[in-house]
Amino acid sequence: ETGVTQSPTHLIKTRGQQVTLRCSSQSGHNTVSWYQQALGQGPQFIFQYYREEENGRGNFPPRFSGLQFPNYSSELNVNALELDDSALYLCASSLGGVGNQPQHFGDGTRLSIL
Amino acid sequence: DAKTTQPTSMDCAEGRAANLPCNHSTISGNEYVYWYRQIHSQGPQYIIHGLKNNETNEMASLIITEDRKSSTLILPHATLRDTAVYYCIAEGLNQGGKLIFGQGTELSVKP
């Protein structure tokens, strides 16, 4: 069973640029959630995708957007990068629609904004 | 969404049981208690979850009080590799899969 994989592992961008982060969900999972974790803090929920549709969103501006593909992999896009966007971005997959199922996380993408 | 409260840090001797408490006094009837841990530079790792009954798996045991206002995660024989931040989360079916992480408990297992 392949776990959740994220790419790239590290990324450096400058203010104003755009970035795309990728996530492959665990085999058999149809739901992907994205989280942002600032240094020293717990992860914060950005949004979730279930069967290619957005299924909940946290308190993040519209410049944070996402996609889920038919194979249930997902992308997180961030436009007009700001210094405060520097963080670890985590993807988690789960099996939605069958009751309470745990989310399984990848090891994240470390994004640094200069 | 029920808020959880955990101690900021705890120490445990290697080989002893680690008992990590969590308060969730406002938990609603459909909210499960989840435990995750995060080892430095890795993503959170799912440990265990439960609704009312005590649960046990290969990693840990979860004891939930009868009134569901608190719970304890038990690592029966802690090892140095169990050193991590442990998060207790209350999550329900109506929350759209949103896990609300607090600051967690930093567990240090010492030789």
Side-chain angles (χ1 to χ4, degrees):
Chain A
E1 185 180 85
T2 307
V4 177
T5 58
Q6 293 187 244
S7 62
T9 54
H10 295 82
L11 200 50
I12 299 174
K13 291 285 190 178
T14 57
R15 274 185 305 175
Q17 284 189 310
Q18 177 266 342
V19 70
T20 298
L21 309 182
R22 294 179 174 83
C23 172
S24 292
S25 57
Q26 185 169 312
S27 176
H29 287 180
N30 56 15
T31 302
V32 171
S33 304
W34 286 91
Y35 294 81
Q36 180 196 65
Q37 186 173 24
L39 207 58
Q41 304 294 317
Q44 282 200 306
F45 177 76
I46 303 175
F47 44 56
Q48 182 184 81
Y49 280 83
Y50 171 60
R51 292 186 173 180
E52 303 179 59
E53 297 285 332
E54 188 177 290
N55 182 44
R57 187 178 182 94
N59 189 25
F60 280 81
R63 59 190 185 84
F64 285 78
S65 63
L67 278 175
Q68 187 179 31
F69 300 99
N71 66 355
Y72 303 126
S73 66
S74 178
E75 287 182 354
L76 164 65
N77 299 290
V78 188
N79 292 324
L81 287 166
E82 301 176 1
L83 293 178
D84 283 350
D85 295 333
S86 293
L88 180 67
Y89 288 85
L90 295 160
C91 167
S93 74
S94 57
L95 182 59
V98 290
N100 221 287
Q101 297 292 317
Q103 296 182 27
H104 295 273
F105 286 79
D107 283 336
T109 294
R110 173 74 61 188
L111 177 62
S112 300
I113 311 301
L114 303 180
Chain B
D1 301 349
K3 182 178 169 56
T4 62
T5 306
Q6 301 176 250
T8 304
S9 63
M10 292 181 63
D11 289 341
C12 178
E14 189 178 19
R16 305 298 293 267
N19 297 285
L20 292 92
C22 178
N23 284 320
H24 30 78
S25 58
T26 61
I27 197 168
S28 62
N30 68 355
E31 287 184 307
Y32 284 71
V33 178
Y34 278 83
W35 283 85
Y36 286 82
R37 72 180 182 185
Q38 189 171 24
I39 296 167
H40 184 61
S41 299
Q42 297 181 19
Q45 177 188 24
Y46 164 75
I47 301 173
I48 198 166
H49 73 289
L51 184 62
K52 297 182 195 176
N53 300 321
N54 298 338
E55 302 286 346
T56 295
N57 63 20
E58 65 279 2
M59 288 183 69
S61 294
L62 173 60
I63 309 298
I64 303 173
T65 58
E66 194 168 339
D67 63 7
R68 301 211 324 122
K69 292 185 177 182
S70 66
S71 61
T72 302
L73 178 74
I74 301 172
L75 307 178
H77 305 287
T79 71
L80 299 178
R81 287 182 295 180
D82 291 322
T83 292
V85 177
Y86 287 76
Y87 296 100
C88 167
I89 300 166
E91 195 254 344
L93 293 173
N94 299 329
Q95 289 170 222
K98 176 173 66 174
L99 296 176
I100 300 175
F101 287 81
Q103 292 294 101
T105 296
E106 188 163 2
L107 175 69
S108 296
V109 180
K110 300 181 185 297

